[in-house]
Amino acid sequence: MQAVRQLGAGVLNMLQGLGRSSLFLFNTLARTPPLLLRFKLVNQQIYSIGVLTFFIIALASFFVGMVLALQGINTLQRFGAEESVGLLVALSLVRELGPVVTALLFAGRAGTALTAEIGLMKSTEQLTAIEMMAIDPVARIVAPRLLGGFISMPILAMAFSVIGVAGGYLVAVGLMGVDAGAFWSQMQAGTEFGTDILSGIIKSIVFGFVVTWIAVFQGYDCVPTPEGVSRATNRTVVYSSLAVLMLDFIITALTLNSL
Amino acid sequence: MQKKGLELMVGLFVLAGLLALAALALRIGNLGGVSVSDGYTVTARFDNIGGLKVRSPVKLGGVLIGRVTDIGLDEDDFRALVTMRLAREYNQLPADSSVAVNTAGLLGEQYLNMEPGGDDEVLKDGDEITITQSALVLEDLIGKFMFNKADEEADK
């Protein structure tokens, strides 16, 4: 009996959380349009969310691209097709690794910072203080961060793909002696803008939306204690990583079949 | 000064994004290639299309001139009905051109190969290409070969 009750309580809790976060999202989105007139606020967030994450993304993508090229050449050599390594690197980066790895790094670097920042503001009653001054904390604090996240993530994912291809080029052409012309021509012949690249961009937009949403909601919804903030930060990483990987499957299934 | 630096960094960041998009579109992808979205549509019937798929390329002399947009079955004569869209810039193809299902390499993907005819009339939107050649099915070839071998053995 006790166990069944706990199960029920858990499900209700989960549904309540979903409902709260959806309402929170609608509330925030409704307060987003006025921000376009005060874009400085968003600028600041793009800097702390996007620009500061850029260097991690650049470094990570460079190594991911180099590893892809090394592994790819190793396997493709068995079929005498090491020229196709450019296509392999580009397709895996543009379609999968670019958006997914960027979203995971984004959740770890920017998402946690957002949650901790908003959570700490809440626990030190800064949000309440702002409200006392008749300033809407959702409009002033949350909305710019949400918008900054939406804008930053696709840019980061595209940069990831491009820098990754550069890393792959360096290894394949510079280190392993693949012909540069074949590397690019195979890549260009096999990578379609309308399907491959666009589906990657769609993915990065969706991931950016979801990760930022989870991060700001967890911060805004946290228990206002040091422990609560740490739990919320923890949840941001776990939830957004899982959400990204699950959504990735769904989007891939949808785009591969319909486009 | 602090503020200017921040704005500069954000500007550089967004610029990096735009450059990345341009690189994706032009350097990695093939947006600069042939666009068939505003082309014209022709159909062709085949006995067997093998592994032809929607979006498979249509080539003339090795040059990409269009893509397969739809594959269906004609219920009247039970032949495969292939619809393809050809780029508008190639609108001077003779009406008696023929298409064949070819394979790129021995095991590569299949595509439609067009051989131009000699007609003065040109292919227009909605036309049907009547001269077609089906896909070579490797299994059938092997089957025929085995059958012939068996016949030869029997004749001895």
Side-chain angles (χ1 to χ4, degrees):
Chain A
M1 204 61 189
Q2 183 71 14
V4 176
R5 221 190 67 201
Q6 267 176 1
L7 180 73
V11 170
L12 281 179
N13 240 336
M14 206 181 76
L15 286 177
Q16 264 179 8
L18 265 178
R20 270 207 312 278
S21 60
S22 310
L23 282 177
F24 173 77
L25 179 69
F26 287 128
N27 267 336
T28 315
L29 286 181
R31 288 170 173 80
T32 305
L35 271 180
L36 298 176
L37 297 175
R38 294 175 69 193
F39 212 74
K40 269 180 203 157
L41 290 177
V42 185
N43 249 351
Q44 226 156 30
Q45 294 311 318
I46 294 178
Y47 178 77
S48 65
I49 295 170
V51 176
L52 294 182
T53 314
F54 189 84
F55 302 104
I56 303 171
I57 297 286
L59 198 65
S61 65
F62 198 66
F63 280 103
V64 167
M66 292 203 291
V67 168
L68 270 179
L70 271 182
Q71 295 275 20
I73 286 175
N74 198 23
T75 308
L76 288 170
Q77 250 168 1
R78 297 182 200 180
F79 310 105
E82 58 263 42
E83 260 87 33
S84 302
V85 73
L87 179 61
L88 175 107
V89 170
L91 275 188
S92 6
L93 277 170
V94 165
R95 282 217 299 233
E96 271 308 316
L97 291 172
V100 172
V101 178
T102 308
L104 294 178
L105 287 172
F106 186 75
R109 164 65 185 73
T112 49
L114 283 176
T115 309
E117 193 183 11
I118 298 178
L120 212 63
M121 281 184 188
K122 188 180 182 186
S123 65
T124 52
E125 295 180 340
Q126 292 181 43
L127 291 183
T128 325
I130 289 178
E131 222 171 343
M132 290 295 287
M133 291 188 272
I135 299 170
D136 183 358
V138 174
R140 179 66 178 74
I141 303 291
V142 178
R145 286 170 171 74
L146 199 67
L147 195 58
F150 294 171
I151 296 172
S152 301
M153 174 64 200
I155 298 179
L156 290 172
M158 286 189 287
F160 191 101
S161 300
V162 172
I163 298 171
V165 168
Y169 176 84
L170 198 76
V171 166
V173 177
L175 211 64
M176 309 295 280
V178 173
D179 181 57
F183 183 88
W184 290 116
S185 67
Q186 290 257 356
M187 184 189 298
Q188 285 166 357
T191 315
E192 207 57 57
F193 186 81
T195 49
D196 303 321
I197 295 175
L198 217 58
S199 87
I201 293 177
I202 291 171
K203 271 185 193 175
S204 68
I205 292 172
V206 174
F207 294 165
F209 188 84
V210 170
V211 170
T212 330
W213 173 24
I214 291 176
V216 290
F217 174 71
Q218 290 299 342
Y220 198 77
D221 196 56
C222 75
V223 182
T225 58
E227 198 196 356
V229 176
S230 95
R231 283 224 177 124
T233 314
N234 188 351
R235 274 202 300 268
T236 296
V237 177
V238 174
Y239 288 176
S240 43
S241 306
L242 289 180
V244 163
L245 295 173
M246 287 182 208
L247 278 172
D248 183 42
F249 173 75
I250 295 170
I251 301 173
T252 307
L254 286 178
T255 49
L256 275 188
N257 287 337
S258 67
L259 284 179
Chain B
M1 197 56 221
Q2 178 76 23
K3 190 150 220 171
K4 282 215 176 106
L6 183 141
E7 278 169 357
L8 182 72
M9 291 304 274
V10 172
L12 283 177
F13 176 63
V14 174
L15 207 63
L18 290 178
L19 279 178
L21 182 64
L24 280 176
L26 301 174
R27 189 77 180 143
I28 295 173
N30 50 3
L31 191 64
V34 58
S35 156
V36 296
S37 55
D38 63 338
Y40 59 106
T41 310
V42 294
T43 57
R45 270 165 238 259
F46 294 90
D47 292 328
N48 188 342
I49 55 168
L52 198 72
K53 293 183 195 70
V54 171
R55 294 195 57 75
S56 289
V58 181
K59 292 181 177 179
L60 198 161
V63 178
L64 181 72
I65 59 167
R67 288 196 183 277
V68 173
T69 52
D70 188 50
I71 293 173
L73 188 69
D74 187 343
E75 295 270 10
D76 294 332
D77 57 1
F78 298 107
R79 299 174 78 196
L81 181 63
V82 174
T83 311
M84 67 202 95
R85 188 173 274 277
L86 306 178
R88 185 161 298 286
E89 55 200 286
Y90 305 114
N91 57 1
Q92 297 296 322
L93 304 171
D96 63 343
S97 300
S98 64
V99 278
V101 181
N102 274 16
T103 309
L106 197 57
L107 298 168
E109 69 167 329
Q110 296 194 295
Y111 66 95
L112 284 181
N113 188 44
M114 189 173 280
E115 288 287 340
D119 205 336
D120 284 340
E121 296 267 308
V122 295
L123 276 176
K124 286 187 295 292
D125 193 51
D127 280 358
E128 178 173 347
I129 298 171
T130 46
I131 313 168
T132 62
Q133 192 189 327
S134 290
L136 272 181
V137 180
L138 213 56
E139 288 88 335
D140 283 356
L141 278 183
I142 294 170
K144 271 182 200 153
F145 178 71
M146 305 271 274
F147 197 67
N148 285 346
K149 270 282 183 216
D151 266 358
E152 277 172 26
E153 295 286 317
D155 284 345
K156 277 182 195 168

